[in-house]
Amino acid sequence: MSNLINYDGITPSIPHSGETTDFEDALIKHDVIDKRQALGNKGMTEEQINSVLSLDASNLSPDATNYHTDLPSNSGSEFSDEDDDFIASYRSRRLAELEESSAEKARKNLNRFNGVDEISRDEWASAVNGVSEDGTWVVVNLEHSGNDDTKNVTECLKNLASRFGSVKFLRINYKAAIENWPESNLPTVFCYCEGELQKQMIGQEQTGGPLTTVQRLEWRLKRLGVLKESELEEDGKKVVKKSNVLKIDKLSRKGGVAMETWGDSDDEDVGND
């Protein structure tokens, strides 16, 4: 009676078997699933699966295990052409489902964020470092209520946020972000990825000049690798002078990384007027 179904729990359970069915063997044969997946679908634990696979590798009979393997073996089964056609059709449908699922996830990721949210200093760790840990780009603009350039950058970022939903755009008062940050360094835009500061643009020249445009800012973020989906092929302004601005070595709470600023490039002609 060892193979009776147990109804004592909330859901019925059946004894685990180290054997696979004809259908599972066919799926394994056609590389639709592997044996680990087949055993997992039976409800076996990771430890039980490893034991069965270990015995298989040692050419031992699964009957030596304690998983109620007194069921008949299907290892000698043969498959007809009709079986092969069915499995091939099943595999094609399964691959189509997986592709559709991946495409749906990609679409959701492209529309993951929207707008330019304002954050406080206390929210920085979670909203910036935390969100960017999975490879998401987080762009932070340091704002100053009395600086038209910083407010203009925010307006430009709002436009970009409506078109690049996979990037998170934020704004924060510059004094709240970094103590004693020089006002002369504004506008300042920090770009985080993988939990750390990766890129930065400091000053008017690096952000596209006085009262920069959406196109100039988009071009610079594309060049820095933040807006990979951007279709821009040129800038809206010609930069002929490098900016000699203060760099920061440690902003990330994880210790910071080497950072690339827009003015570091030797290319003087960023685009066309």
Side-chain angles (χ1 to χ4, degrees), residues 7-54:
Y7 287 93
D8 292 337
I10 298 177
T11 57
S13 62
I14 60 174
H16 298 309
S17 170
E19 295 293 337
T20 52
T21 65
D22 287 346
F23 182 68
E24 290 167 337
D25 289 339
L27 294 179
I28 294 171
K29 173 185 175 182
H30 290 80
D31 297 323
V32 178
I33 62 173
D34 56 25
K35 188 166 184 178
R36 176 177 292 275
Q37 292 172 308
L39 296 176
N41 291 337
K42 293 176 180 290
M44 297 180 70
T45 66
E46 191 70 19
E47 182 179 357
Q48 292 170 336
I49 293 173
N50 290 336
S51 296
V52 172
L53 295 180
S54 177

Side-chain angles (χ1 to χ4, degrees), residues 75-130:
S75 58
S77 299
E78 296 182 357
F79 307 105
S80 66
D81 291 340
E82 291 183 357
D83 293 329
D84 288 342
D85 291 341
F86 172 78
I87 295 300
S89 175
Y90 179 89
R91 185 185 186 194
S92 297
R93 291 198 307 271
R94 182 58 179 155
L95 289 175
E97 290 173 356
L98 292 175
E99 290 176 358
E100 183 178 353
S101 176
S102 298
E104 179 62 23
K105 289 180 180 179
R107 285 193 295 270
K108 289 182 178 180
N109 187 54
L110 288 176
N111 297 290
R112 185 178 174 188
F113 306 107
N114 187 30
V116 182
D117 298 327
E118 184 174 10
I119 62 171
S120 65
R121 183 167 187 167
D122 291 339
E123 295 172 310
W124 185 285
S126 60
V128 180
N129 301 85

Side-chain angles (χ1 to χ4, degrees), residues 33-254:
I33 62 173
D34 56 25
K35 188 166 184 178
R36 176 177 292 275
Q37 292 172 308
L39 296 176
N41 291 337
K42 293 176 180 290
M44 297 180 70
T45 66
E46 191 70 19
E47 182 179 357
Q48 292 170 336
I49 293 173
N50 290 336
S51 296
V52 172
L53 295 180
S54 177
L55 289 174
D56 285 350
S58 302
N59 293 321
L60 295 178
S61 170
D63 290 335
T65 70
N66 294 320
Y67 304 132
H68 303 290
T69 56
D70 51 338
L71 299 177
S73 171
N74 298 306
S75 58
S77 299
E78 296 182 357
F79 307 105
S80 66
D81 291 340
E82 291 183 357
D83 293 329
D84 288 342
D85 291 341
F86 172 78
I87 295 300
S89 175
Y90 179 89
R91 185 185 186 194
S92 297
R93 291 198 307 271
R94 182 58 179 155
L95 289 175
E97 290 173 356
L98 292 175
E99 290 176 358
E100 183 178 353
S101 176
S102 298
E104 179 62 23
K105 289 180 180 179
R107 285 193 295 270
K108 289 182 178 180
N109 187 54
L110 288 176
N111 297 290
R112 185 178 174 188
F113 306 107
N114 187 30
V116 182
D117 298 327
E118 184 174 10
I119 62 171
S120 65
R121 183 167 187 167
D122 291 339
E123 295 172 310
W124 185 285
S126 60
V128 180
N129 301 85
V131 171
S132 68
E133 281 185 347
D134 64 357
T136 297
W137 279 102
V138 177
V139 177
V140 188
N141 177 39
L142 272 55
E143 273 192 336
H144 177 13
S145 59
N147 185 299
D148 289 339
D149 279 314
T150 65
K151 291 187 289 185
N152 179 63
V153 167
T154 292
E155 292 304 312
C156 292
L157 293 182
K158 288 180 180 178
N159 180 290
L160 297 178
S162 69
R163 295 187 288 118
F164 299 95
S166 63
V167 178
K168 187 174 182 66
F169 294 92
L170 300 170
R171 59 191 176 96
I172 184 174
N173 182 276
Y174 80 107
K175 290 184 177 179
I178 309 170
E179 188 176 357
N180 299 322
W181 186 251
E183 187 176 338
S184 59
N185 284 344
L186 300 176
T188 298
V189 177
F190 295 128
C191 305
Y192 277 69
C193 190
E194 297 181 348
E196 298 181 337
L197 179 64
Q198 304 288 352
K199 310 288 183 181
Q200 63 180 16
M201 294 183 289
I202 302 177
Q204 288 183 347
E205 293 181 5
Q206 294 187 9
T207 55
L211 296 179
T212 188
T213 65
V214 173
Q215 181 177 339
R216 293 174 190 170
L217 201 55
E218 179 178 343
W219 174 251
R220 282 154 178 74
L221 289 172
K222 178 181 180 179
R223 285 282 299 271
L224 291 178
V226 178
L227 300 182
K228 298 181 177 65
E229 299 89 359
S230 173
E231 297 180 355
L232 283 184
E233 296 182 355
E234 62 179 20
D235 191 9
K237 183 177 183 294
K238 188 173 184 179
V239 178
V240 296
K241 180 181 178 181
K242 290 184 181 180
S243 175
N244 185 17
V245 297
L246 172 67
K247 291 185 182 180
I248 50 178
D249 295 325
K250 291 185 180 180
L251 269 184
S252 169
R253 295 197 177 190
K254 292 188 175 181

